[in-house]
Amino acid sequence: MQPLIINHEICNQDGICAEVCPRKLIDFSTKTPTPVAGIETQCIRCGHCMAVCPTAAISMAGIKPDDCEPIDKKLRATTAQLTHILKSRRSIRVYQDRPVERETIENILDVCRFAPTGSNAQQVDWIITDDQVKIRTLSQMTIDWMKQAIETNDSISKNVPLAGIVEGWQKGEDRLFRSAPLVLITHAPEISSMPRENCVIAMTYFDLVAFSLGIGTCWIGLFMLAVAHHPPIWQFLEIPDDHRVFGTMVAGYPKYKYQRIPARHDAKAVWL
Ligand SMILES: Cc1cc2nc3c(=O)[nH]c(=O)nc-3n(C[C@H](O)[C@H](O)[C@H](O)COP(=O)(O)O)c2cc1C
């Protein structure tokens, strides 16, 4: 199917669509924008041509410009607002004993769909659980893997303080998922366009939108290590064989409010 339909009656022939197309799939040499041969297979359906057109002359993959949400300049965050959000979000490790409504999570995921992905592949799959029995099962499997890694003197146990987490677990303290009400995992086909980056960016969107709703999150790298090394976890999650887990987070309503922004290193940057 031809992905682009250009309405030449309203096209103002400014050529912007041709200029912004990432793959240069719109020919403007005749001053009339025309999809190039082979566009069907090469177009990544990013929608830029349609989104940028000042006269709404382009429909993409059956979606008309009027079907798309307009950009509302009034809703644009100021630099001060955005800077404050980015600096003041924290990794939350102590949660209220209160579930997060599924509808709220689904609304956040609806925003995460708009995170950039390599070649606009949009191949980020989420596994989400608020089932405390399942979260406990995942924790127990992770602890089993940690114990094995300690016993076999695995190199991971030399670099990561696994013993403290296992000891904490034995005392009833959850240093893995932090007794959070919700665990989120992203996975994607291992052989695809930038799967790790896609998952990490989508989860970073999740983190920020959740924060704006008063929901805290924390990345759980320790679980990502476990899932990569311990097949029973993989099987429990029913992740397809050709996928890999690229992100894990917990989420919930924070028990405490943070009062100030902790210091961080100066940016390490050189101009080349
Ligand atoms: C990839 C990644 C993995 C992380 N894994 C864990 C983890 O397993 N457990 C944990 O408590 N925090 C984890 N964190 C949170 C970091 O410790 C935290 O981001 C850092 O201390 C800075 O604190 P802030 O996020 O509040 O600025 C992780 C963070 C990232 C980015």
Side-chain angles (χ1 to χ4, degrees):
M1 181 189 161
Q2 162 66 272
L4 298 190
I5 297 174
I6 302 173
N7 181 344
H8 291 288
E9 282 175 21
I10 55 173
C11 169
N12 69 357
Q13 299 182 310
D14 56 20
I16 300 174
C17 54
E19 212 175 327
V20 300
C21 174
R23 300 224 164 152
K24 300 293 165 208
L25 299 174
I26 301 175
D27 175 37
F28 193 60
S29 57
T30 60
K31 303 295 173 204
T32 298
T34 313
V36 303
I39 190 168
E40 301 81 5
T41 53
Q42 292 176 61
C43 175
I44 60 170
R45 273 75 172 164
C46 66
H48 278 224
C49 53
M50 176 178 66
V52 79
C53 178
T55 63
I58 301 181
S59 300
M60 192 209 71
I63 299 167
K64 299 190 188 84
D66 285 349
D67 300 333
C68 299
E69 188 180 339
I71 292 175
D72 185 344
K73 287 190 194 135
K74 292 195 294 297
L75 289 180
R76 196 176 165 149
T78 63
T79 306
Q81 287 167 337
L82 194 56
T83 302
H84 198 259
I85 289 170
L86 293 171
K87 284 182 171 177
S88 56
R89 67 139 292 285
R90 293 274 70 78
S91 296
I92 300 301
R93 300 186 180 88
V94 188
Y95 293 95
Q96 294 176 33
D97 186 13
R98 169 184 165 202
V100 183
E101 310 71 23
R102 286 191 173 189
E103 194 188 346
T104 306
I105 296 300
E106 275 157 22
N107 290 339
I108 301 173
L109 292 176
D110 201 48
V111 181
C112 298
R113 298 187 294 126
F114 293 85
T117 52
S119 302
N120 194 33
Q122 302 176 62
Q123 284 176 305
V124 175
D125 288 353
W126 297 77
I127 297 173
I128 304 166
T129 183
D130 54 8
D131 179 327
Q132 293 309 307
V133 175
K134 288 183 182 151
I135 294 176
R136 233 191 129 66
T137 305
L138 286 171
S139 305
Q140 187 59 63
M141 285 193 286
T142 306
I143 296 292
D144 292 346
W145 166 75
M146 287 181 177
K147 282 184 187 160
Q148 268 175 33
I150 296 166
E151 277 162 23
T152 57
N153 226 1
D154 191 294
S155 58
I156 291 173
S157 68
K158 289 181 196 124
N159 301 321
V160 187
L162 302 181
I165 299 165
V166 174
E167 273 170 38
W169 181 256
Q170 284 157 350
K171 286 191 239 151
E173 197 188 298
D174 180 6
R175 291 195 211 168
L176 179 68
F177 290 134
R178 309 285 176 183
S179 306
L182 202 82
V183 174
L184 303 112
I185 293 160
T186 51
H187 60 98
E190 185 171 11
I191 300 175
S192 57
S193 182
M194 309 275 161
R196 178 185 305 279
E197 291 76 4
N198 300 339
C199 289
V200 170
I201 297 168
M203 290 199 111
T204 301
Y205 266 47
F206 187 96
D207 178 30
L208 295 171
V209 181
F211 176 65
S212 77
L213 291 164
I215 297 167
T217 62
C218 188
W219 283 90
I220 307 295
L222 288 167
F223 180 76
M224 282 145 68
L225 278 178
V227 82
H229 290 88
H230 199 46
I233 303 180
W234 200 265
Q235 285 146 13
F236 181 78
L237 293 170
E238 296 184 8
I239 291 171
D241 288 345
D242 60 338
H243 280 220
R244 275 185 60 197
V245 167
F246 292 111
T248 303
M249 263 184 183
V250 290
Y253 289 103
K255 186 165 178 189
Y256 302 110
K257 280 194 172 32
Y258 282 76
Q259 308 296 337
R260 51 197 70 81
I261 296 165
R264 293 288 184 259
H265 296 317
D266 290 341
K268 281 188 214 120
V270 287
W271 291 91
L272 200 60

